[in-house]
Amino acid sequence: MSDAPRIVVLPGDGIGPEIVDAARRLLDSLGEFEYDERLVGGCSIDAHGIALTEEVLEACRAADAVLLGAVGGPKWDTTDPEAPRPEQGLLGLRKGMGLYANLRPVRPSPALVGSSPLREERIAGTDLLVVRELTGGIYFGDSGREGDAAHDTCSYTAAEIERIARTAFEAARRRAGSSGRDPRVTSVDKANVLETSRLWREVVTGIAPEYGDVALDHLLVDNAAMQLVSRPADFDVIVTENLFGDILSDEAAMLTGSLGMLPSASLGADGAPGLFEPVHGSAPDIAGRGVANPLATFLSVAMMLRHGLERPGEAARIEAAVDAVLAQGLRTPDLAAGTLATPRMPDVPAEIEAGTAEMTDAVLAALGA
Ligand code: NAD
C-alpha cells in the first residue's frame, strides 16, 4: 500500500464538483495523494434516497482527511419534513465523524483589503482564527414550550471545554510555527452572567500552564464583538462556545467582504480525520459555467495540509500563491464585482477577469508547479 495520504473527496452539488476538481489539480501539483471520491448531499439523495449513506460515512472515518465542495440546490428544496434534505449530509458527517471544533481563519489577502467593509488601515494585517465549539451548549440542551413560555438550556461539561481549549492552544502553536508570530489565545465567554461561562473560564485557565508558550487572555462576548471590528489585527486565535462562536465567526468572516475566499475546517479527536470545506454554498446560480471562484477551496486545502496532514510548509505555500495571483490582478467575477470599482488600491494592477480554470492555472504557476 502507498504512503500517500488518503483523502475522501466529496464534491457534492452545484459548483462543488468544479471547485473540488480544481483542488485536486492543486493537490496533484504538490505530491502524491490517494483520492476516494464519494457522493454526499443532493447527488446522494438522487442515487440512494438519503444525503449520506453509512458506507460513505465509514469511508470518511477511515480516511486521513475529508475534502468537501458544497451541497444543496433548488432541485432538493422542500417543505416536506419527511423528505430528505442535502444538509442532512453535513450534519450526518459532523455527528458521525465526531467533529467538535470548527475553525474559520480570517485573513484578507493584501490585494483584497479594499473589499472589506472596514477601512483599509483597520483591516490591514488581520490574520485571525475563530475556534468554535460545535457539539454542545444551548443548541443541544433541553428545550421546550409550556403554554406561552419557552426555554433552551445551555450546558457544558469540563471535558467538552477542555478538548476545545486544547484544539485552540494547539492551533495557535501551529500557526506560530508557520508565521513566526507570538501565539495568543483569546477565550470569549460571558462569565459575569453565565455559570457555564464561569466553568469555561476556569477550565481554560486551568490547562493554560501546559501551553506556557501561548499567551492567554479572556474577553466577554459583548466586548469581543466590538473589538473584532475596532482592532481585528490584534487577534490571533479566538476560542468560544457554540452560540457565541456561531455569531462571532460570521461577524469575523464579513471582515474580508469576500464569501468566495473563506475556508473552514472541522476537527474531531486527536488523530481522527477532519473535514475541510469552503464556507460558501453550492452557488446553483453559476454552476456549470466555469466561473466559480476556487480560492476558498484552495485555502481549505491549505487548512487540510496544516491542521489535518501536518504539512504546514505546503499550506503556507498555497496561501502565498493565492496572495500572489490576486496581487497580479486576477479576479473571478465574484471578486471583480467587489473591488473593480474601488479605486483605493493604487498598488494593485488592473484587474484581469478569470474563470475557474485560469485562476487554477495561475495558482499552480505561482506555486512553481
Ligand atoms: P451560496 O454561498 O451558494 O451563494 C451565495 C452567492 O455567492 C451566490 O450569488 C453565489 O453565486 C455566490 N458564490 C458562492 N460561492 C461562490 C464561489 N465559490 N464563486 C463565485 N461565486 C460564489 O449561498 P446560497 O445561495 O444561500 O445557497 C445555495 C445553496 O447552497 C443552497 O441549497 C444552500 O442550502 C446551500 N449551502 C450549502 C452550504 C454547504 O454546503 N456548506 C453552505 C451554505 C449554503
Side-chain angles (χ1 to χ4, degrees):
M1 235 171 89
S2 94
D3 289 340
R6 237 173 50 78
I7 300 173
V8 168
V9 179
L10 304 171
D13 310 312
I15 61 169
E18 300 166 51
I19 53 179
V20 165
D21 278 357
R24 283 181 62 159
R25 283 186 61 202
L26 176 71
L27 279 165
D28 286 339
S29 78
L30 294 173
E32 209 186 314
F33 295 89
E34 202 184 301
Y35 306 107
D36 179 6
E37 198 163 308
R38 304 283 187 142
L39 300 180
V40 72
C43 55
S44 174
I45 293 175
D46 288 349
H48 305 293
I50 49 173
L52 175 71
T53 62
E54 195 51 44
E55 199 189 333
V56 171
L57 180 57
E58 266 317 308
C60 291
R61 285 203 194 108
D64 291 313
V66 179
L67 181 67
L68 175 85
V71 299
K75 181 175 176 195
W76 303 282
D77 283 348
T78 174
T79 49
D80 174 0
E82 301 300 317
R85 283 172 290 114
E87 59 273 22
Q88 288 167 341
L90 294 181
L91 298 177
L93 283 169
R94 275 187 195 166
K95 192 155 183 262
M97 293 174 68
L99 305 172
Y100 59 80
N102 184 246
L103 275 59
R104 280 221 220 157
V106 176
R107 184 192 65 94
S109 183
L112 293 182
V113 291
S115 332
S116 170
L118 294 189
R119 284 200 306 276
E120 236 173 277
E121 63 271 24
R122 282 252 156 112
I123 192 73
T126 297
D127 181 357
L128 63 86
L129 176 73
V130 180
V131 176
R132 166 189 170 194
E133 203 289 326
L134 213 50
T135 58
I138 199 163
Y139 293 173
F140 293 93
D142 177 55
S143 64
R145 290 242 186 153
E146 302 85 27
D148 58 0
H151 71 275
D152 298 283
T153 313
C154 181
S155 79
Y156 267 107
T157 65
E160 286 171 323
I161 299 167
E162 182 177 328
R163 67 182 183 176
I164 189 80
R166 288 190 185 282
T167 303
F169 281 116
E170 278 154 25
R173 268 187 183 161
R174 263 188 234 123
R175 283 161 52 84
S178 50
S179 71
R181 70 198 290 176
D182 290 335
R184 165 177 298 276
V185 167
T186 301
S187 172
V188 172
D189 60 37
K190 188 73 181 166
N192 55 343
V193 179
L194 301 176
E195 202 51 48
T196 42
S197 280
R198 284 190 279 272
L199 178 66
W200 181 278
R201 199 174 275 218
E202 210 175 286
V203 172
V204 175
T205 308
I207 63 160
E210 294 178 43
Y211 302 89
D213 51 321
V214 183
L216 170 69
D217 55 13
H218 302 273
L219 274 185
L220 295 175
V221 62
D222 39 350
N223 189 13
M226 289 195 288
Q227 303 295 332
L228 255 178
V229 286
S230 65
R231 52 174 191 93
D234 291 349
F235 288 98
D236 180 11
V237 173
I238 296 172
V239 62
T240 190
E241 59 97 77
N242 204 345
L243 169 65
F244 299 159
D246 192 5
I247 298 166
L248 290 183
S249 60
D250 271 16
E251 183 192 1
M254 261 319 288
L255 298 175
T256 71
S258 310
L259 183 61
M261 295 296 302
L262 295 167
S264 81
S266 301
L267 306 180
D270 240 4
L275 174 73
F276 303 86
E277 56 176 323
V279 167
H280 61 71
S282 60
D285 51 334
I286 58 163
R289 291 183 18 213
V291 295
N293 180 355
L295 297 181
T297 314
F298 292 174
L299 296 171
S300 304
V301 167
M303 291 195 84
M304 179 169 84
L305 291 164
R306 179 176 291 119
H307 298 285
L309 301 176
E310 307 297 335
R311 293 165 70 150
E314 286 163 323
R317 280 180 61 211
I318 293 176
E319 288 158 356
V322 167
D323 284 351
V325 297
L326 292 169
Q328 289 158 18
L330 228 62
R331 300 283 184 274
T332 43
D334 57 309
L335 296 177
T339 50
L340 259 184
T342 319
R344 284 191 297 161
M345 303 296 298
D347 302 336
V348 178
E351 295 191 355
I352 309 156
E353 198 146 314
T356 313
E358 291 90 344
M359 194 54 118
T360 307
D361 292 342
V363 172
L364 294 188
L367 272 172

